[in-house]
Amino acid sequence: MDRTLTLRRPDDWHLHLRDGAMLRAVLPHSAAHFARAIVMPNLVPPVTTMAAALAYRARILEALPPGADFTPLMTLYLTEDSDPDDIARAHDQGAAVAVKLYPAGATTNSHSGVRDFARIQPVLDRMARIGMPLLVHGEVTDPDIDIFDREAVFIDRVLAPLRARTPGLRVVMEHVTTREAVDYVREGGLDLAATVTTHHLIVNRNAMFAGGIRPHYYCLPVAKREGHRRALLGAATSGHPSFFLGTDSAPHPDAAKIAPCGCAGIFSAPVTLACLAHVFEEAGSLGQLESFASLNGPAFHRLPPNPATITLVRDAAQPHPGTITTGDGPVTVFDPGFPLRWRVAEA
Ligand code: DOR
Ligand code: ZN
C-alpha cells in the first residue's frame, strides 16, 4: 500500500550534535529532516556561558550543508557557579533558549553538573521570572538507588520539591522512560512538559540483552520494562500538548560503545522519522504524529510551528543505513528491529 503523510516540518527538542569532525558528520542528518533542534551543551568542556553558546552556535552554522534550512536552539549547561545575569542575558539576546540541568554524574559529561541543588536556586528563581525553561535530566545519581528506579525517585526527591520552591518555573522533563514520569507530566499543568525519544518508544530493556549484550541499545536513562514503553507510547500518540519529540540522538564512535565500559547514547537521527511513522502507524495514531513531532514542542517553547512541510512516503522496505562514517570512526545507526517502510520524500 502506497501512502504519504505530510506534516509541518518537525523539530527535535533534544539533540546531541557534538563538535568538530563528529558535528560535521551528524549534523546533515538532522538538518535534512528537522527545521530546529534544541542542542545539548554537554561538550568537553561544557557550554556554560552565553559566550560559549554563541561560539558553539557559530561552529554549528559553519558545519551546515549549503542550503540547509536548520536553526540550532542553544542551551546552557547549569553548574553550581552559573551566573544568573549571564543566563538572563543569553535568554534576552536569543543566544540560548533554555538551561540544561544535569545532576552531577548522571550521564555523559555530567561531572560539572549539580550536586547541591540549593546552590542553583538563584538561577532557578531568575529563570522563573523571565520564563526561561529548565530542561532536566531526571535521574538521581545515588548508587544505592537501582538504575531502573532512578527516574521515578528523582521525581519525588528532587523535581517535585524543586518545582514547589520555584513557582512559575517552566520545566521540561527530558527523555522520560517511565509510567511515573508520564503520569507526573500529564497532571503537571502548563508549566511542565516532557520530551520522548524515538528509541524509548520502540525498545524496552530486553533489547539490551537479547542473545548477548547489545551496547547500541544502551542509553541513559536506560530503557525500562515493556509496561513503561507502552505508557510512553500512549502519551506520545495521545496528542496531549505536554509531550513532544526530543530524539536524544547521541552519537558515539562504535569503538567507544563496544568496550568494557561503553558509552551511553543511541544515534537515531537518520532514521528517526521513519521509525516514528512506523510506530505511530502501528498504534493506529498516524494522525497524531504532527502534534508530537511538529506542533506541541513549538507551543510549549512559545515559538510558531514551522511554515514548511515534510512528506513521509510509505513504500517498499528501505535499506537500513547500518553505520555512518565520521572522522572519529563509524557510528552505528539505531536499529529499530523492524523494516523501515517509511522514508522522507526528497524536497
Ligand atoms: O544516553 C545518553 N547519551 N544519555 C544522555 O543523557 C547523554 C547522552 C550523550 O551525551 O551521549
Ligand atoms: Zn541527551
Side-chain angles (χ1 to χ4, degrees), residues 218-242:
Y218 173 59
C219 64
L220 289 170
V222 72
K224 309 296 193 299
R225 287 178 183 274
E226 176 62 8
H228 294 288
R229 187 192 70 84
R230 286 177 185 275
L232 302 178
L233 189 59
T237 58
S238 68
H240 190 298
S242 298

Side-chain angles (χ1 to χ4, degrees), residues 32-104:
H33 297 165
F34 293 92
R36 298 170 287 203
I38 283 211
V39 181
M40 287 297 117
N42 63 333
L43 303 183
V44 185
V47 180
T48 53
T49 62
M50 170 167 151
L54 288 171
Y56 185 29
R57 179 165 69 189
R59 296 198 296 280
I60 295 169
L61 294 176
E62 167 113 31
L64 273 175
D69 170 17
F70 179 80
T71 304
L73 303 173
M74 308 311 292
T75 56
L76 297 175
Y77 185 118
L78 183 57
T79 73
E80 293 178 7
D81 300 317
S82 289
D83 172 8
D85 290 336
D86 185 65
I87 287 178
R89 205 175 308 121
H91 184 248
D92 189 47
Q93 298 187 14
V97 300
V99 170
K100 174 70 189 245
L101 166 60
Y102 288 104

Side-chain angles (χ1 to χ4, degrees), residues 6 16 23 28 54 81 84 92 125 127 145 153 155 178 183 185-186 215 222 236 246 255 289 304 310 331:
T6 298
H16 297 269
L23 167 65
L54 288 171
D81 300 317
D92 189 47
D125 291 338
M127 289 170 62
I145 306 294
V153 171
I155 294 170
T178 57
D183 292 345
V185 170
R186 193 183 269 128
V222 72
L289 183 56
I310 193 170
V331 171

